[in-house]
Amino acid sequence: MTTSWPETVAQARELRRALHRRPEIAWTEHATAATVRDILDTAAIPRRDCAQTGTVGVLAPHAPGRHVALRADLDGLPITEQTGLVYASEHAGLMHACGHDGHTATLIAAARWLKAQEDSLPGPVTLLFQPAEEGGHGAARMIEDGCLGPPLGNAGGRPVDVVFGWHNWPALPLGRALCPDGPVMAANGTFRVELQGRGGHASQPENTRDPVLAAAAVTVALQQVVARRLAPQEAAVLAVTSLQAESAPTVTPDTAALGGSIRVPDLGVRDRVFDAITEIATDTAAAHGVSAEVQTFARYSATVNHPAPATELRDALTAVFGDDWPRHQAAAPVMASEDFSYYLQEVPGAFALIGGGSADAKETAPLHNARYDFNDDLIDPVARLLVGLAGGARVPTADKKPR
């Protein structure tokens, strides 16, 4: 069993890059899950499968203190990598563009260190290796499968008392973080508008009902939802992210479609935005002589920190990064979304966004970008953070090594 902290961090760095080479999207993380399970088995950390490709590990299951859960996510994204790295994705059309490879490797580092001091842990520690965060509601499935219950289903054990999570955030410089009381990330939803017109020859527009023109008009009209349907004090983002109207240069098609996403601070605002999308898309389409079918899909709720765990997480951030970590320009909540919200609806807990960007974070590729790469310099401090939250002994200072 590895007890050297520098060796633990070095192994996690190697694991992170190995995971980066073979990303798997939501609900297909079979090789990733097998790797996590093999590592836990080798470290003699009891575990069970959870939610198909998820895994729950446990340390000190019979310790009398509070039961802490720590979470990492596993899945990648359907994006073609353009980093040119020696460890770039070997799976065509897939990449770890959100840093879940780094989250997994960091929790493994903390788990190995905590295992070496398991007998002195004050309470049980549950390790949540969760699939399908990227829109797959993996956290909900983990909860349904009992991940927050007594350790490994031990009838005499206690369920999870508090849960902690984090996400790397390249928009913030390394050493900065965001961890407020209350909302830290927004709720979200998606929408799709299908337009039915009448196709024909491009030279005879009077004989057609052009769904392409209607789609363009709907796209522009939807921009009034945030600007004119919500109060300035209500934060929201509405983005049309796709347009489809395949045809030939001389052919007006019968149909067109557009889709996108919304980000809002609470579910009441989400419902109002959805209603406005339906109204505006339907009426705009009608004004162009075509019909519209609008579908809206609720996804994740806002990620809302509980005050006491958030205070504890902020104290842990100070212990690792020093007093300057709150000094940044990010406002809460950020408008991205996270299915960690499901855990926080079940038990108290907190979630932090931890900076992984350069000194000028604007120069760092953002999440979900084909040139993004997780900053390996986060592994050491965040693994220390997780060890501290679990009640583990203070980690000795490790020599800093270049990426």
Side-chain angles (χ1 to χ4, degrees):
M1 180 69 188
T2 299
T3 56
S4 161
W5 182 253
E7 185 178 357
T8 300
V9 172
Q11 288 176 342
R13 185 186 299 256
E14 292 176 6
L15 170 63
R16 202 285 293 186
R17 297 185 178 195
L19 293 175
H20 192 89
R21 288 189 179 95
R22 44 182 176 78
E24 298 168 301
I25 59 173
W27 300 120
T28 70
E29 310 96 330
H30 301 290
T32 305
T35 297
V36 168
R37 292 164 186 172
D38 286 346
I39 291 171
L40 295 180
D41 290 343
T42 300
I45 297 175
R47 53 89 179 172
R48 71 172 178 90
D49 300 353
C50 185
Q52 298 179 35
T53 47
T55 304
V56 176
V58 64
L59 298 161
H62 303 294
R66 72 169 185 172
H67 184 175
V68 177
L70 306 172
R71 177 267 210 161
D73 35 18
L74 306 176
D75 51 329
L77 286 158
I79 295 173
T80 299
E81 183 163 351
Q82 298 177 25
T83 63
L85 295 165
V86 294
Y87 52 86
S89 172
E90 298 171 357
H91 292 180
L94 305 179
M95 74 172 288
H96 270 295
C98 206
H100 296 183
D101 49 347
H103 300 167
T104 299
T106 302
L107 184 54
I108 287 290
R112 283 173 162 154
W113 187 257
L114 290 166
K115 179 62 181 179
Q117 51 182 285
E118 184 173 24
D119 291 344
S120 63
L121 291 177
V125 179
T126 284
L127 311 166
L128 303 174
F129 294 94
Q130 179 210 304
E133 189 282 325
E134 296 289 355
H137 302 268
R141 294 280 293 277
M142 292 281 284
I143 293 167
E144 290 171 4
D145 207 358
C147 74
L148 299 179
L152 299 182
N154 177 7
R158 59 189 297 172
V160 168
D161 295 303
V162 63
V163 61
F164 294 104
W166 73 289
H167 203 293
N168 78 96
W169 204 247
L172 290 175
L174 185 68
R176 303 288 185 260
L178 182 67
C179 182
D181 292 347
V184 60
M185 301 184 79
N188 69 343
T190 57
F191 62 90
R192 179 174 175 82
V193 180
E194 296 185 0
L195 300 157
Q196 180 66 51
R198 183 172 68 197
H201 200 289
S203 68
Q204 298 175 303
E206 74 278 10
N207 292 329
T208 69
R209 294 292 181 265
D210 189 351
V212 179
L213 178 61
V218 170
T219 298
V220 173
L222 287 179
Q223 303 313 305
Q224 71 171 277
V225 173
V226 174
R228 289 295 180 265
R229 296 297 186 94
L230 299 179
Q233 296 82 7
E234 293 179 307
V237 175
L238 187 158
V240 176
T241 56
S242 66
L243 285 167
Q244 299 97 30
E246 293 186 15
S247 187
T250 61
V251 179
T252 297
D254 285 323
T255 62
L258 59 96
S261 69
I262 66 169
R263 312 285 172 149
V264 293
D266 63 66
L267 302 187
V269 174
R270 183 168 68 187
D271 290 342
R272 288 161 50 205
V273 171
F274 277 159
D275 289 344
I277 290 171
T278 300
E279 176 191 341
I280 290 170
T282 301
D283 291 350
T284 302
H288 287 75
V290 308
S291 63
E293 179 181 343
V294 183
Q295 296 175 291
T296 57
F297 308 93
R299 296 180 70 184
Y300 298 158
S301 297
T303 303
V304 182
N305 284 345
H306 296 247
T311 297
E312 183 178 356
L313 183 45
R314 289 192 292 268
D315 289 343
L317 286 164
T318 299
V320 171
F321 290 112
D323 294 332
D324 286 344
W325 70 263
R327 184 167 57 82
H328 51 69
Q329 300 300 313
V334 301
M335 300 310 285
S337 304
E338 243 285 352
D339 78 345
F340 194 82
S341 57
Y342 285 110
Y343 299 115
L344 296 179
Q345 291 168 358
E346 297 293 324
V347 297
F351 191 82
L353 301 177
I354 301 181
S358 61
D360 181 359
K362 293 181 180 179
E363 298 178 357
T364 305
L367 301 174
H368 293 211
N369 182 282
R371 292 179 175 82
Y372 164 82
D373 185 39
F374 177 84
N375 187 344
D376 284 339
D377 289 341
L378 279 169
I379 294 174
D380 184 322
V382 179
R384 294 168 182 269
L385 180 86
L386 299 178
V387 167
L389 291 169
R394 184 177 180 85
V395 179
T397 301
D399 295 331
K400 293 184 178 180
K401 297 181 180 180
R403 288 187 72 193

